[in-house]
mmCIF file of all heavy atoms in Angstrom:
data_model
loop_
_atom_site.group_PDB
_atom_site.id
_atom_site.type_symbol
_atom_site.label_atom_id
_atom_site.label_comp_id
_atom_site.label_asym_id
_atom_site.label_seq_id
_atom_site.Cartn_x
_atom_site.Cartn_y
_atom_site.Cartn_z
ATOM 1 N N TRP C 1339 -4.215 -22.657 -22.972
ATOM 2 C CA TRP C 1339 -3.688 -23.658 -21.972
ATOM 3 C C TRP C 1339 -2.365 -24.296 -22.338
ATOM 4 O O TRP C 1339 -1.561 -24.817 -21.552
ATOM 5 C CB TRP C 1339 -4.756 -24.779 -21.724
ATOM 6 C CG TRP C 1339 -5.874 -24.216 -20.915
ATOM 7 C CD1 TRP C 1339 -7.152 -23.843 -21.465
ATOM 8 C CD2 TRP C 1339 -5.906 -23.885 -19.523
ATOM 9 N NE1 TRP C 1339 -7.966 -23.338 -20.557
ATOM 10 C CE2 TRP C 1339 -7.263 -23.364 -19.304
ATOM 11 C CE3 TRP C 1339 -5.080 -23.907 -18.480
ATOM 12 C CZ2 TRP C 1339 -7.611 -22.917 -18.042
ATOM 13 C CZ3 TRP C 1339 -5.401 -23.543 -17.246
ATOM 14 C CH2 TRP C 1339 -6.703 -23.047 -17.041
ATOM 15 N N ASN C 1376 16.006 9.371 -4.346
ATOM 16 C CA ASN C 1376 15.458 10.788 -4.280
ATOM 17 C C ASN C 1376 14.085 10.841 -4.524
ATOM 18 O O ASN C 1376 13.294 11.621 -3.988
ATOM 19 C CB ASN C 1376 16.208 11.527 -5.433
ATOM 20 C CG ASN C 1376 17.657 11.883 -4.953
ATOM 21 O OD1 ASN C 1376 17.913 12.078 -3.728
ATOM 22 N ND2 ASN C 1376 18.491 12.047 -5.920
ATOM 23 N N ILE C 1386 4.351 14.872 3.210
ATOM 24 C CA ILE C 1386 4.212 15.257 4.512
ATOM 25 C C ILE C 1386 3.726 16.735 4.632
ATOM 26 O O ILE C 1386 2.762 16.988 5.468
ATOM 27 C CB ILE C 1386 5.493 15.145 5.270
ATOM 28 C CG1 ILE C 1386 5.873 13.576 5.504
ATOM 29 C CG2 ILE C 1386 5.514 15.736 6.630
ATOM 30 C CD1 ILE C 1386 7.225 13.278 5.968
ATOM 31 N N LEU C 1388 2.078 18.463 2.523
ATOM 32 C CA LEU C 1388 0.700 18.625 2.075
ATOM 33 C C LEU C 1388 -0.329 17.869 2.929
ATOM 34 O O LEU C 1388 -1.565 18.294 3.057
ATOM 35 C CB LEU C 1388 0.575 18.125 0.606
ATOM 36 C CG LEU C 1388 1.362 18.891 -0.428
ATOM 37 C CD1 LEU C 1388 1.304 18.125 -1.821
ATOM 38 C CD2 LEU C 1388 0.935 20.303 -0.565
ATOM 39 N N SER C 1418 -6.670 10.268 -2.979
ATOM 40 C CA SER C 1418 -5.226 9.966 -3.131
ATOM 41 C C SER C 1418 -5.030 8.499 -2.881
ATOM 42 O O SER C 1418 -4.171 7.876 -3.557
ATOM 43 C CB SER C 1418 -4.506 10.752 -2.010
ATOM 44 O OG SER C 1418 -3.201 10.357 -1.930
ATOM 45 N N ILE C 1425 -0.478 4.477 -11.658
ATOM 46 C CA ILE C 1425 -1.516 5.235 -12.411
ATOM 47 C C ILE C 1425 -1.252 6.723 -12.323
ATOM 48 O O ILE C 1425 -1.286 7.481 -13.281
ATOM 49 C CB ILE C 1425 -2.963 5.023 -11.917
ATOM 50 C CG1 ILE C 1425 -3.193 3.427 -12.091
ATOM 51 C CG2 ILE C 1425 -3.960 5.726 -12.652
ATOM 52 C CD1 ILE C 1425 -4.546 3.113 -11.503
ATOM 53 N N PRO C 1436 8.340 12.381 -19.255
ATOM 54 C CA PRO C 1436 9.101 11.393 -18.489
ATOM 55 C C PRO C 1436 10.311 11.986 -17.761
ATOM 56 O O PRO C 1436 10.815 13.010 -17.991
ATOM 57 C CB PRO C 1436 9.655 10.456 -19.616
ATOM 58 C CG PRO C 1436 9.683 11.341 -20.847
ATOM 59 C CD PRO C 1436 8.646 12.287 -20.671
ATOM 60 N N ALA C 1446 4.251 11.593 -4.146
ATOM 61 C CA ALA C 1446 3.680 12.500 -3.237
ATOM 62 C C ALA C 1446 2.097 12.409 -3.192
ATOM 63 O O ALA C 1446 1.523 12.348 -2.165
ATOM 64 C CB ALA C 1446 4.099 13.980 -3.584
ATOM 65 N N LEU C 1541 17.305 -6.918 -9.909
ATOM 66 C CA LEU C 1541 16.449 -7.367 -8.909
ATOM 67 C C LEU C 1541 17.174 -7.556 -7.540
ATOM 68 O O LEU C 1541 16.667 -7.300 -6.566
ATOM 69 C CB LEU C 1541 15.809 -8.714 -9.319
ATOM 70 C CG LEU C 1541 14.918 -8.707 -10.557
ATOM 71 C CD1 LEU C 1541 14.389 -10.127 -10.886
ATOM 72 C CD2 LEU C 1541 13.678 -7.726 -10.279
ATOM 73 N N VAL C 1554 16.459 0.571 8.296
ATOM 74 C CA VAL C 1554 16.621 1.941 8.657
ATOM 75 C C VAL C 1554 15.279 2.396 9.286
ATOM 76 O O VAL C 1554 15.126 2.985 10.282
ATOM 77 C CB VAL C 1554 17.061 2.875 7.569
ATOM 78 C CG1 VAL C 1554 16.866 4.271 7.940
ATOM 79 C CG2 VAL C 1554 18.383 2.510 7.126
#
Side-chain angles (χ1 to χ4, degrees):
W1339 290 105
N1376 283 331
I1386 290 172
L1388 295 173
S1418 171
I1425 300 176
L1541 294 179
V1554 172

